[in-house]
Amino acid sequence: MSSVNRQVSVRQLKVKKCNTKCRLIVFATLAICLVAVAVFADRLCPYDPYAQDLSLSYQAPSAAHIMGTDAYGRDMFSRVIVGARASILSTLALVCIITLVGTAVGTISGFIGGKVDAIVMRVSDFFLAFPGLVFALAVAALLGGGVLNAIIALAVISWPKYARVARSQTLSVKVSSFVQAAVLAGDNPPQIIFRHILPNIFGPILVTAMLDIGTMTMELAGLSFLGLGAQPPIAEWGSMMSSGRSMLQTYPWVVLSPGIAIFISVVIFNLLGDTVRDYLDPK
Amino acid sequence: MKGIKKAVAFAMAMALTLGAFTGCSGSKKEPTNASDDGKKTFTFGDTTFNAENEEATIDPHEAYCGWACIRYGVGETLFKFNDNMELEPWVAESYENIDDLTWKVVIKDGVTFSNGKACDAAAVKACIEDLVAVHERAAADLAIDSIEADGLTLTIKTQEPKPTLMNYLCDPYGCIIDVESGNADGIVVGTGPYVATELVTSDHLKLVKNDNYWNGQPKIDEITVLTITDGDTLALALQNGDIDAAYGMAYANYPIFENDDYVFTGTPTSRAFYCQMNYNSKIIQDDAVRKALAMGIDKEGFVNTLLKGYGAVGVGAFPDNFSFGGDAVSTVGYDPEAAKTVLEEAGWKDTDGDGIREKGGKTLTLKWVSYPSRQELPLLCESAQATLKDIGFDIQLNITADHGTIVSEKDGWDVYAAAFVTASIGDPMYFFTTNCLDDSPKNRGGYHSDELQKLAEEMNVTFDPEKRGELAIQMQQQLLDDNSFIFCSFLRMSMITKANVTGLKAHPSDYYEFTADLDIQ
Amino acid sequence: MFKGYSLLKYTIKRILQLIPILFAITFLSFAMMRLAGSDVVEQKMLNTGQVVTDAQLEAAKAQLGLDKPFLVQYITWLNDLLHGDMGVSFVSGMDVFDTFISKLPATLFLTVTSIVLTVIISIPLGIISAVYKNKFWDYFIRFFSFIGNSMPNFFVSLVLMYILGIKLRFFPIISREMSFESVAMPTITLAIAMSAKYLRQVRTTVLDELGKDYIMGAKARGVKFSTTLWKSVMRESLVTIITLLALSIGSLLGGTAIVESIFMWDGVGKMAVDAINMRDYPIIQAYVMWMAIIYVTVNLITDLSYRLLDPRIRLEGTDNE
């Protein structure tokens, strides 16, 4: 929680920034490529990812099917590409939602302070203390399975983390001289929040969010793995791994293909997150 | 800089020590079936022996615990089913149907409980009286009025004609146990080849051989039954040698064991995977739609490819080891072209070119409900979704553990794919009374057939098994002609054992597993 | 300045805060599981694949009190709880408290082993990584930490089982008793992901400290770097590390649903998953309460340890009074 709560040392900032910038460009490009694959998935996949042909069941990887086929004879490569849509785009949507909500709640609560702050913190305590599994399962049972509902479940239990980060940042910025000066100059609260506080707490929150993308990808996959996320026949990496997990020994490509896809995406987003942190907050 | 190196060296040494520690702590373990004192041991992995499956204990008078009691060789019933699901003597020698309400059963001479006590008519009477007193389902099935015991002869009177009374007594709840010995910790004393010594619900059961067994000498000294709910863990445990045999392996893991080191023992069961139609739905009421659905499911592909041939393609409600099952009835086969014609002729046409047919402004969209706890059902649903799409159906799958709530709503669904043991006691009537008649608890789709009602009434008062079989054929054919049920396949129940295990054989009833023949070389 | 008195007062205040959280959480979980549709009676029926009549179904529900309105059920439960009775499991019929207590040792054992392994792996490697920043060892360690951090734990479990259990036969697949041999694979699975995460945090924390002015000052004064590293950097880093460990211990004590299930480790997490699948409300309630107690306790211990380790830090929640 406190790892983002760091001081910026201007001296070293200049030294390392150049090197970091190069890495930032590389990883950002890779991440954009991933998102592009997700967006243009339809045009990129060689076969219809939902077309079944039982005579092609469990084909090992070959020139025609570079990742082999699954139990129903569907092309794994096409399914992995289309799966990027459900996995990556929904993760990004999820992270956006919780970042926005968490930041808004945390900033306002930290800025106003007093009773409001105390109540908001108790509410966030409540959500943090509530077992995520029970919540996700209840949401799935109430609203039915599906990617959207999995996002809702994760969003409801994840926003307090951002609220806490935003709040602690706001508290430290609030007492700084330039905010005090703005208050004295008669700026109204929205002006102060938007002009002075948000720009100053943006960095730590962005870093938290970037580093969270990888974790959230796995959490979504985990929910799908437990049967609470994407529903068949929707191609989603977590549910593809879940339905293929018993094939690890017999038809490893069915479970390894989506597994490697999750792995690569998480690595790319984690590297990007690290680099963004180094860039904004070098040590 | 020396300081850093020292620090780093120290840190690395710690990491290495740890690696060595974890590496060495696991001594190489060679699985063995003989303990130090020369006793033969056997370990069995089962996916269903737990409280979730109502098998919290092995007391047959509790929920479905009788299944564990009979499977693991602790309890035995009066009669047992043979491979054709017909009754054969077991604890009892013979039975006689005196009149509509009276049955006479003769117990075998020499049967004893594992504590040495003789199992005579009085003991059986005490057991059945306790059963109907505490077990509601049994009480309703048996409808017993009174029981008299005289030496080895038992006379049972029922409250109403019960043509299948003897079959019901062979349900696992009918295990004969010594009620005087009680059921402390869920452990009961039966007449079977093994005696339970330790039970931890949903975890394990320990058995030792019954030295007093009345029907031969059990060969294994100690058996452990482990509850392993995860299918992959089960497979790995069998490969690793932690267990000697497994029940409930996932199909995808079968290829690992298809070699000389392992033996499969399989048998067709009457657990049917079928689709039930909801007659409350306007689209389903269309005869052509139901017929096209029946023609649009690739049952062969489902069984041969997705289940790897471990199953039997279904026609009617019963598999072909029953005289009234298998090809005794007939229905339409998988024929996508014919299905398209049927729909075309009924006016279902794809006018907007999206691949889905429409008629009178309604698209051919069906809400298809099923559940994931039976591993075969999601496979069936996903396969059917694709084959039906080619015909012009838009199938919206909802595979959820919550299916019970959905199918209880009249408009919530169109097709329900489910699994059901159609002949658990060897008699056909159970399936119809449960699923197809006007007052059936599971006739959620509101199906009604005058003809079927009439046949069912006749069946209720028919005692002759052969005549009952004929009626069962007519009743199934009625369902198939109406396409109100589509029977896709029957489960082939398989156990996988290490090659040195003998005498473990799967049974069509799914009841009997451990016998005195069980041995390990 | 705080005195012993205010520290005690603070602790009591935090524990009192647990009460409304417990109320709210148990109520919400009760409401949600109740609204979730099917109940334990239907789940059992489904698992056995057999059918009971509607009358039998209603009788079974009535026996468990499931036919009553939701609020009545909750109040009954609450009332029993206040009298020290957590009820019996709907599924096994056994006492909830006894069931819960019987699962606790396994989870505690796994928690201790995996935390110890995580500390042994992540602290030294994190320090190496920080000291050799952007050199070979740093990249090498971070490479593996990325791998460990980017694999779902169910996947790690299966791979470990396959390699260590089947190919090398180091460990048994099924964790039967509480021995180091049995706990090895679930421990390694958990430690891989946690070490990967905490290694990065340790690295960051140490880098934070290394970048501070007093390090420069010490260097300028000619203090040996190793002395600075052990005496100052580690002491300062300890606050962060303790926070992290407290959080991890908290989440481990809550049971690790997937890992415990896969390895058949009979702990709290497996109990929770089974209970949720079966809609076994009394067990779910016990689990939810346990999680809330852990959460509050862990937070309290973290706050208190901050205070003890670094007197400059003021306790959260006291600055408003």
Side-chain angles (χ1 to χ4, degrees):
Chain A
M1 226 181 291
S2 63
S3 62
V4 285
N5 192 357
R6 259 175 256 111
Q7 298 163 352
V8 178
S9 160
V10 183
R11 200 164 42 236
Q12 293 179 338
L13 195 133
K14 288 173 188 160
V15 184
K16 291 288 175 192
K17 199 145 191 169
C18 181
N19 181 11
T20 312
K21 201 169 185 176
C22 297
R23 283 197 291 142
L24 186 64
I25 291 170
V26 172
F27 296 138
T29 314
L30 284 174
I32 290 168
C33 287
L34 264 185
V35 176
V37 167
V39 171
F40 300 108
D42 284 351
R43 285 172 224 174
L44 291 171
C45 53
Y47 296 90
D48 176 352
Y50 299 107
Q52 297 186 10
D53 183 352
L54 294 181
S55 65
L56 292 176
S57 171
Y58 294 128
Q59 300 275 305
S62 63
H65 300 279
I66 59 170
M67 287 183 183
T69 60
D70 68 3
Y72 306 92
R74 296 178 296 205
D75 179 49
M76 284 306 293
F77 183 59
S78 307
R79 286 182 70 74
V80 167
I81 290 180
V82 171
R85 178 167 292 177
S87 300
I88 294 181
L89 294 187
S90 18
T91 307
L92 292 178
L94 169 64
V95 173
C96 286
I97 295 170
I98 53 179
T99 310
L100 288 177
V101 173
T103 309
V105 173
T107 312
I108 294 169
S109 151
F111 186 75
I112 296 175
K115 281 258 152 54
V116 175
D117 186 38
I119 290 170
V120 168
M121 283 303 106
R122 286 295 82 76
V123 170
S124 82
D125 259 347
F126 171 75
F127 281 103
L128 286 169
F130 200 86
L133 191 67
V134 174
F135 196 87
L137 207 119
V139 168
L142 276 174
L143 306 173
V147 182
L148 185 67
N149 295 333
I151 293 178
I152 293 175
L154 280 179
V156 172
I157 52 178
S158 309
W159 68 266
K161 185 171 132 191
Y162 290 80
R164 297 234 146 169
V165 172
R167 175 179 173 271
S168 70
Q169 293 292 320
T170 306
L171 286 179
S172 64
V173 174
K174 202 167 93 174
V175 294
S176 66
S177 47
F178 55 90
V179 172
Q180 297 301 329
V183 172
L184 290 176
D187 283 7
N188 60 22
Q191 277 176 327
I192 297 174
I193 288 178
F194 280 102
R195 285 207 198 132
H196 303 290
I197 293 180
L198 281 181
N200 279 293
I201 67 170
F202 176 74
I205 287 171
L206 181 68
V207 170
T208 312
M210 295 303 291
L211 288 172
D212 230 17
I213 296 178
T215 318
M216 286 297 165
T217 307
M218 289 205 288
E219 296 240 332
L220 264 184
L223 280 189
S224 294
F225 182 78
L226 289 173
L228 307 173
Q231 293 296 299
I234 297 295
E236 193 272 346
W237 295 339
S239 66
M240 283 161 76
M241 279 190 85
S242 163
S243 60
R245 62 186 280 224
S246 57
M247 298 159 199
L248 184 62
Q249 291 190 61
T250 43
Y251 314 105
W253 56 89
V254 178
V255 55
L256 289 180
S257 306
I260 290 169
I262 294 183
F263 176 66
I264 292 176
S265 334
V266 174
V267 166
I268 289 178
F269 282 116
N270 279 347
L271 285 170
L272 180 64
D274 264 14
T275 317
V276 168
R277 185 189 54 201
D278 290 351
Y279 185 74
L280 293 175
D281 187 18
K283 285 287 164 306
Chain B
M1 286 317 265
K2 222 170 137 200
I4 308 182
K5 281 203 179 125
K6 239 164 135 188
V8 168
F10 173 71
M12 284 174 120
M14 268 173 87
L16 277 176
T17 316
L18 169 89
F21 164 74
T22 49
C24 297
S25 66
S27 51
K28 262 199 188 205
K29 177 175 148 278
E30 283 308 321
T32 167
N33 293 103
S35 57
D36 298 338
D37 46 3
K39 280 185 177 169
K40 271 191 181 178
T41 59
F42 176 77
T43 310
F44 186 73
D46 191 322
T47 51
T48 59
F49 177 44
N50 53 21
E52 283 92 298
N53 285 287
E54 301 230 34
E55 290 176 42
T57 70
I58 58 164
D59 179 359
H61 296 185
E62 207 183 292
Y64 286 85
C65 302
W67 286 69
C69 185
I70 202 166
R71 277 178 171 170
Y72 306 139
V74 174
E76 295 171 322
T77 48
L78 292 176
F79 298 91
K80 79 187 287 187
F81 295 107
N82 65 15
D83 287 351
N84 296 320
M85 294 297 283
E86 293 152 356
L87 299 181
E88 281 183 354
W90 207 5
V91 171
E93 180 88 54
S94 63
Y95 72 86
E96 202 184 330
N97 183 206
I98 311 277
D99 59 49
D100 277 7
L101 299 175
T102 317
W103 301 75
K104 197 169 168 188
V105 180
V106 180
I107 310 295
K108 262 186 202 158
D109 197 5
V111 176
T112 56
F113 290 109
S114 58
N115 56 10
K117 196 177 139 185
C119 174
D120 55 11
V124 174
K125 173 178 189 274
C127 172
I128 297 177
E129 280 176 349
D130 182 62
L131 170 70
V132 296
V134 300
H135 198 285
E136 281 180 32
R137 182 165 54 94
D141 287 346
L142 302 171
I144 285 175
D145 185 43
S146 67
I147 306 177
E148 278 168 40
D150 177 20
L152 293 174
T153 310
L154 200 67
T155 309
I156 304 174
K157 277 191 184 295
T158 57
Q159 293 152 355
E160 55 193 78
K162 278 279 172 189
T164 52
L165 181 71
M166 289 301 125
N167 296 63
Y168 275 123
L169 282 171
C170 298
D171 185 286
Y173 60 57
C175 280
I176 303 304
I177 55 167
D178 179 18
V179 286
E180 279 174 22
S181 298
N183 58 351
D185 298 328
I187 290 177
V188 292
V189 172
T191 61
Y194 289 97
V195 185
T197 54
E198 188 183 311
L199 170 79
V200 176
T201 297
S202 305
D203 194 64
H204 75 272
L205 169 71
K206 281 207 158 92
L207 304 161
V208 296
K209 76 173 167 190
N210 174 7
D211 289 319
N212 298 321
Y213 189 48
W214 60 276
N215 192 17
Q217 182 64 31
K219 298 172 183 65
I220 309 276
D221 295 289
E222 286 174 9
I223 296 181
T224 309
V225 179
L226 298 180
T227 307
I228 304 176
T229 39
D230 186 274
D232 298 302
T233 312
L234 187 74
L236 290 160
L238 183 58
Q239 281 178 279
N240 180 275
D242 288 353
I243 56 173
D244 300 303
Y247 173 91
M249 191 70 71
Y251 292 103
N253 280 324
Y254 280 11
I256 305 169
F257 303 104
E258 286 168 339
N259 56 51
D260 292 344
D261 296 337
Y262 301 95
V263 177
F264 281 68
T265 165
T267 176
T269 68
S270 67
R271 192 182 291 274
F273 299 102
Y274 66 94
C275 303
Q276 186 173 1
M277 302 294 156
N278 184 4
Y279 278 75
N280 299 311
S281 151
K282 281 272 179 306
I283 297 181
I284 291 295
Q285 283 169 5
D286 187 336
D287 293 342
V289 169
R290 292 196 312 278
K291 191 169 182 190
L293 279 171
M295 294 168 118
I297 297 174
D298 183 4
K299 299 177 188 176
E300 271 88 9
F302 167 58
V303 171
N304 296 330
T305 309
L306 296 175
L307 304 187
K308 302 190 167 297
Y310 291 96
V313 174
V315 184
F318 307 100
D320 57 11
N321 55 327
F322 289 89
S323 58
F324 46 83
D327 293 333
V329 290
S330 63
T331 184
V332 291
Y334 177 52
D335 190 346
E337 292 312 313
K340 284 178 195 168
T341 315
V342 167
L343 288 173
E344 286 287 335
E345 282 169 2
W348 290 96
K349 292 190 168 67
D350 180 16
T351 45
D352 55 7
D354 63 350
I356 308 301
R357 292 172 189 274
E358 301 90 26
K359 179 183 176 181
K362 258 184 135 166
T363 53
L364 195 47
T365 299
L366 297 181
K367 282 178 280 198
W368 182 300
V369 179
S370 190
Y371 50 92
S373 60
R374 281 272 151 202
Q375 55 168 325
E376 297 84 359
L377 288 173
L379 294 171
L380 171 64
C381 296
E382 246 186 278
S383 159
Q385 184 184 40
T387 53
L388 289 169
K389 186 168 183 262
D390 291 341
I391 298 168
F393 281 94
D394 171 23
I395 303 292
Q396 298 189 335
L397 290 185
N398 187 1
I399 301 175
T400 165
D402 227 16
H403 61 111
T405 321
I406 299 173
V407 292
S408 62
E409 289 162 19
K410 277 188 173 179
D411 315 322
W413 58 287
D414 296 304
V415 181
Y416 176 49
F420 189 82
V421 181
T422 55
S424 60
I425 54 160
D427 186 81
M429 193 54 190
Y430 179 61
F431 173 75
F432 298 104
T433 45
T434 312
N435 294 289
C436 316
L437 303 179
D438 292 351
D439 53 358
S440 294
K442 283 274 190 172
N443 187 3
R444 298 267 168 79
Y447 170 66
H448 169 81
S449 157
D450 291 337
E451 182 65 20
L452 194 72
Q453 292 296 128
K454 216 173 72 198
L455 290 167
E457 273 165 37
E458 199 182 334
M459 179 90 102
N460 275 337
V461 291
T462 305
F463 278 71
D464 176 24
E466 223 164 279
K467 183 77 185 105
R468 289 177 77 84
E470 278 168 32
L471 284 168
I473 293 175
Q474 292 176 40
M475 290 169 79
Q476 288 175 77
Q477 196 58 55
Q478 186 63 43
L479 298 181
L480 296 173
D481 291 345
D482 286 341
N483 288 310
S484 56
F485 287 82
I486 305 168
F487 299 95
C488 300
S489 82
F490 293 96
L491 174 73
R492 183 176 175 84
M493 197 276 284
S494 296
M495 286 189 276
I496 305 176
T497 70
K498 293 205 283 196
N500 61 351
V501 175
T502 56
L504 186 65
K505 200 169 159 293
H507 192 273
S509 64
D510 209 0
Y511 294 160
Y512 320 120
E513 288 176 8
F514 300 174
T515 63
D517 295 334
L518 177 66
D519 201 357
I520 192 155
Q521 248 71 65
Chain C
M1 273 285 117
F2 290 92
K3 295 196 179 95
Y5 157 74
S6 61
L7 203 62
L8 183 71
K9 198 175 133 197
Y10 174 74
T11 309
I12 291 170
K13 194 185 138 206
R14 288 294 295 260
I15 289 171
L16 287 179
Q17 277 173 4
L18 178 62
I19 294 170
I21 290 188
L22 278 182
F23 266 116
I25 282 179
T26 53
F27 184 79
L28 185 72
S29 73
F30 215 92
M32 286 182 33
M33 296 314 290
R34 182 68 196 162
L35 285 169
S38 76
D39 56 41
V40 65
V41 179
E42 286 170 39
Q43 292 293 326
K44 280 189 182 178
M45 197 178 76
L46 163 69
N47 277 345
T48 49
Q50 307 240 348
V51 179
V52 291
T53 63
D54 284 349
Q56 283 171 314
L57 202 70
E58 291 311 316
K61 285 186 183 182
Q63 204 189 349
L64 297 175
L66 289 171
D67 54 337
K68 302 212 182 70
F70 152 69
L71 264 177
V72 176
Q73 287 183 47
Y74 180 72
I75 290 167
T76 312
W77 176 83
L78 199 63
N79 187 37
D80 288 348
L81 181 74
L82 294 175
H83 291 89
D85 177 12
M86 295 177 78
V88 293
S89 159
F90 286 170
V91 174
S92 67
M94 286 185 279
D95 187 76
V96 170
F97 187 72
D98 292 348
T99 308
F100 177 73
I101 291 296
S102 74
K103 309 282 180 194
L104 210 47
T107 295
L108 288 177
F109 187 43
L110 183 57
T111 302
V112 171
T113 54
S114 44
I115 285 289
V116 168
L117 186 58
T118 303
V119 168
I120 294 177
I121 295 175
S122 63
I123 293 187
L125 293 187
I127 296 173
I128 295 174
S129 199
V131 171
Y132 285 118
K133 195 192 168 205
N134 292 338
K135 304 244 169 57
F136 173 76
W137 285 111
D138 182 28
Y139 286 122
F140 185 79
I141 290 167
R142 280 167 72 201
F143 175 72
F144 282 100
S145 118
F146 270 123
I147 291 185
N149 207 12
S150 309
M151 286 196 298
N153 58 5
F154 58 87
F155 190 61
V156 176
S157 311
L158 294 179
V159 172
L160 278 182
M161 274 183 167
Y162 186 65
I163 295 172
L164 297 181
I166 303 293
K167 289 291 159 197
L168 302 174
R169 299 227 166 168
F170 276 177
F171 304 115
I173 294 293
I174 317 168
S175 311
R176 291 310 306 163
E177 66 273 330
M178 289 222 262
S179 66
F180 280 103
E181 202 175 285
S182 294
V183 84
M185 284 208 280
T187 303
I188 296 173
T189 308
L190 290 171
I192 284 179
M194 287 197 306
S195 307
K197 198 154 86 194
Y198 294 138
L199 194 155
R200 290 160 52 131
Q201 301 280 14
V202 171
R203 178 179 180 271
T204 315
T205 314
V206 174
L207 280 181
D208 263 3
E209 289 301 321
L210 289 179
K212 282 188 181 160
D213 292 340
Y214 76 89
I215 301 284
M216 296 289 183
K219 219 177 198 172
R221 287 199 309 277
V223 178
K224 271 209 293 187
F225 182 63
S226 62
T227 314
T228 322
L229 185 64
W230 291 117
K231 293 252 171 79
S232 311
V233 175
M234 279 315 288
R235 192 190 143 82
E236 295 298 320
S237 307
L238 217 54
V239 177
T240 316
I241 290 165
I242 285 184
T243 316
L244 289 174
L245 284 180
L247 288 174
S248 301
I249 291 172
S251 71
L252 285 171
L253 284 177
T256 42
I258 291 177
V259 172
E260 285 189 359
S261 295
I262 289 181
F263 288 102
M264 304 300 300
W265 190 253
D266 203 13
V268 176
K270 184 168 168 289
M271 176 196 80
V273 175
D274 292 347
I276 290 169
N277 283 336
M278 290 302 294
R279 312 280 193 266
D280 193 351
Y281 306 141
I283 298 267
I284 296 174
Q285 292 298 82
Y287 173 70
V288 167
M289 282 170 57
W290 171 238
M291 294 300 282
I293 292 170
I294 292 173
Y295 174 78
V296 173
T297 315
V298 163
N299 271 307
L300 180 62
I301 291 173
T302 321
D303 287 353
L304 292 178
S305 68
Y306 272 0
R307 161 98 181 96
L308 294 175
L309 282 167
D310 187 351
R312 284 170 303 181
I313 297 176
R314 301 189 70 202
L315 290 171
E316 188 196 332
T318 51
D319 44 10
N320 300 336
E321 308 304 303

